mmCIF file of all heavy atoms in Angstrom:
data_model
loop_
_atom_site.group_PDB
_atom_site.id
_atom_site.type_symbol
_atom_site.label_atom_id
_atom_site.label_comp_id
_atom_site.label_asym_id
_atom_site.label_seq_id
_atom_site.Cartn_x
_atom_site.Cartn_y
_atom_site.Cartn_z
ATOM 1 N N GLN A 284 -0.784 -15.846 -15.847
ATOM 2 C CA GLN A 284 0.583 -15.320 -15.749
ATOM 3 C C GLN A 284 1.118 -15.550 -14.340
ATOM 4 O O GLN A 284 0.423 -15.352 -13.349
ATOM 5 C CB GLN A 284 0.597 -13.817 -16.063
ATOM 6 C CG GLN A 284 1.998 -13.248 -16.212
ATOM 7 C CD GLN A 284 1.949 -11.792 -16.648
ATOM 8 O OE1 GLN A 284 0.987 -11.095 -16.404
ATOM 9 N NE2 GLN A 284 2.990 -11.334 -17.297
ATOM 10 N N ARG A 319 19.626 -5.934 -16.766
ATOM 11 C CA ARG A 319 19.972 -4.555 -17.141
ATOM 12 C C ARG A 319 20.783 -3.879 -16.039
ATOM 13 O O ARG A 319 21.751 -3.169 -16.303
ATOM 14 C CB ARG A 319 18.706 -3.754 -17.423
ATOM 15 C CG ARG A 319 17.969 -4.158 -18.688
ATOM 16 C CD ARG A 319 16.932 -3.129 -19.050
ATOM 17 N NE ARG A 319 16.117 -3.544 -20.181
ATOM 18 C CZ ARG A 319 14.906 -4.063 -20.083
ATOM 19 N NH1 ARG A 319 14.359 -4.222 -18.882
ATOM 20 N NH2 ARG A 319 14.226 -4.415 -21.159
ATOM 21 N N VAL A 350 40.140 -7.697 -10.057
ATOM 22 C CA VAL A 350 39.929 -8.822 -9.141
ATOM 23 C C VAL A 350 38.535 -8.784 -8.531
ATOM 24 O O VAL A 350 37.811 -9.787 -8.488
ATOM 25 C CB VAL A 350 40.988 -8.811 -8.018
ATOM 26 C CG1 VAL A 350 40.698 -9.921 -6.997
ATOM 27 C CG2 VAL A 350 42.377 -8.976 -8.605
ATOM 28 N N PRO A 374 11.061 -20.214 -12.867
ATOM 29 C CA PRO A 374 10.375 -19.589 -11.728
ATOM 30 C C PRO A 374 10.415 -20.429 -10.468
ATOM 31 O O PRO A 374 10.548 -19.905 -9.362
ATOM 32 C CB PRO A 374 8.939 -19.420 -12.243
ATOM 33 C CG PRO A 374 9.078 -19.334 -13.723
ATOM 34 C CD PRO A 374 10.203 -20.267 -14.066
ATOM 35 N N ASN A 399 6.151 3.107 -1.686
ATOM 36 C CA ASN A 399 4.928 3.291 -0.917
ATOM 37 C C ASN A 399 4.262 1.948 -0.670
ATOM 38 O O ASN A 399 4.189 1.102 -1.572
ATOM 39 C CB ASN A 399 3.957 4.214 -1.661
ATOM 40 C CG ASN A 399 4.505 5.622 -1.780
ATOM 41 O OD1 ASN A 399 5.092 6.155 -0.842
ATOM 42 N ND2 ASN A 399 4.317 6.236 -2.945
ATOM 43 N N ASP A 424 -20.517 -9.755 14.320
ATOM 44 C CA ASP A 424 -20.056 -9.126 15.553
ATOM 45 C C ASP A 424 -18.527 -9.081 15.601
ATOM 46 O O ASP A 424 -17.940 -8.068 15.998
ATOM 47 C CB ASP A 424 -20.578 -9.886 16.773
ATOM 48 C CG ASP A 424 -22.076 -9.691 16.957
ATOM 49 O OD1 ASP A 424 -22.618 -8.712 16.412
ATOM 50 O OD2 ASP A 424 -22.699 -10.529 17.636
ATOM 51 N N LEU A 445 -7.492 -6.324 8.740
ATOM 52 C CA LEU A 445 -8.819 -5.964 8.244
ATOM 53 C C LEU A 445 -8.978 -6.335 6.774
ATOM 54 O O LEU A 445 -9.996 -6.898 6.365
ATOM 55 C CB LEU A 445 -9.064 -4.465 8.435
ATOM 56 C CG LEU A 445 -10.405 -3.925 7.913
ATOM 57 C CD1 LEU A 445 -11.563 -4.592 8.647
ATOM 58 C CD2 LEU A 445 -10.469 -2.405 8.088
ATOM 59 N N ASN A 455 -19.632 -3.815 2.343
ATOM 60 C CA ASN A 455 -20.552 -2.705 2.606
ATOM 61 C C ASN A 455 -21.230 -2.838 3.968
ATOM 62 O O ASN A 455 -22.274 -2.224 4.214
ATOM 63 C CB ASN A 455 -21.616 -2.623 1.511
ATOM 64 C CG ASN A 455 -21.055 -2.087 0.206
ATOM 65 O OD1 ASN A 455 -20.322 -1.107 0.192
ATOM 66 N ND2 ASN A 455 -21.394 -2.745 -0.899
ATOM 67 N N ALA A 470 -11.202 5.783 4.880
ATOM 68 C CA ALA A 470 -11.123 7.179 4.454
ATOM 69 C C ALA A 470 -10.784 8.100 5.616
ATOM 70 O O ALA A 470 -10.115 9.121 5.437
ATOM 71 C CB ALA A 470 -12.446 7.604 3.821
ATOM 72 N N LYS A 482 -9.043 1.175 -2.880
ATOM 73 C CA LYS A 482 -9.245 0.727 -4.260
ATOM 74 C C LYS A 482 -9.668 -0.742 -4.284
ATOM 75 O O LYS A 482 -10.536 -1.140 -5.070
ATOM 76 C CB LYS A 482 -7.965 0.913 -5.066
ATOM 77 C CG LYS A 482 -7.623 2.373 -5.356
ATOM 78 C CD LYS A 482 -6.294 2.487 -6.100
ATOM 79 C CE LYS A 482 -5.925 3.939 -6.351
ATOM 80 N NZ LYS A 482 -4.603 4.066 -7.016
ATOM 81 N N SER A 520 -13.334 7.585 -8.175
ATOM 82 C CA SER A 520 -14.387 6.582 -8.212
ATOM 83 C C SER A 520 -15.753 7.195 -8.481
ATOM 84 O O SER A 520 -16.515 6.693 -9.310
ATOM 85 C CB SER A 520 -14.420 5.812 -6.890
ATOM 86 O OG SER A 520 -15.536 4.948 -6.827
ATOM 87 N N LEU A 537 -16.983 21.742 2.977
ATOM 88 C CA LEU A 537 -17.124 22.637 4.127
ATOM 89 C C LEU A 537 -16.391 22.112 5.360
ATOM 90 O O LEU A 537 -15.820 22.878 6.128
ATOM 91 C CB LEU A 537 -18.605 22.846 4.451
ATOM 92 C CG LEU A 537 -19.436 23.537 3.371
ATOM 93 C CD1 LEU A 537 -20.883 23.666 3.808
ATOM 94 C CD2 LEU A 537 -18.853 24.909 3.056
ATOM 95 N N ILE A 550 -8.774 19.699 -3.399
ATOM 96 C CA ILE A 550 -9.249 18.575 -4.210
ATOM 97 C C ILE A 550 -10.761 18.658 -4.399
ATOM 98 O O ILE A 550 -11.280 18.514 -5.514
ATOM 99 C CB ILE A 550 -8.879 17.233 -3.548
ATOM 100 C CG1 ILE A 550 -7.356 17.052 -3.521
ATOM 101 C CG2 ILE A 550 -9.531 16.063 -4.285
ATOM 102 C CD1 ILE A 550 -6.895 15.847 -2.723
ATOM 103 N N VAL A 563 -19.119 25.527 9.719
ATOM 104 C CA VAL A 563 -19.150 25.585 11.173
ATOM 105 C C VAL A 563 -18.355 24.412 11.709
ATOM 106 O O VAL A 563 -18.667 23.259 11.412
ATOM 107 C CB VAL A 563 -20.597 25.513 11.703
ATOM 108 C CG1 VAL A 563 -20.592 25.564 13.219
ATOM 109 C CG2 VAL A 563 -21.420 26.658 11.121
#
Side-chain angles (χ1 to χ4, degrees):
Q284 190 175 26
R319 290 193 186 100
V350 175
N399 294 319
D424 289 340
L445 178 62
N455 287 315
K482 289 177 182 177
S520 173
L537 297 179
I550 294 172
V563 180

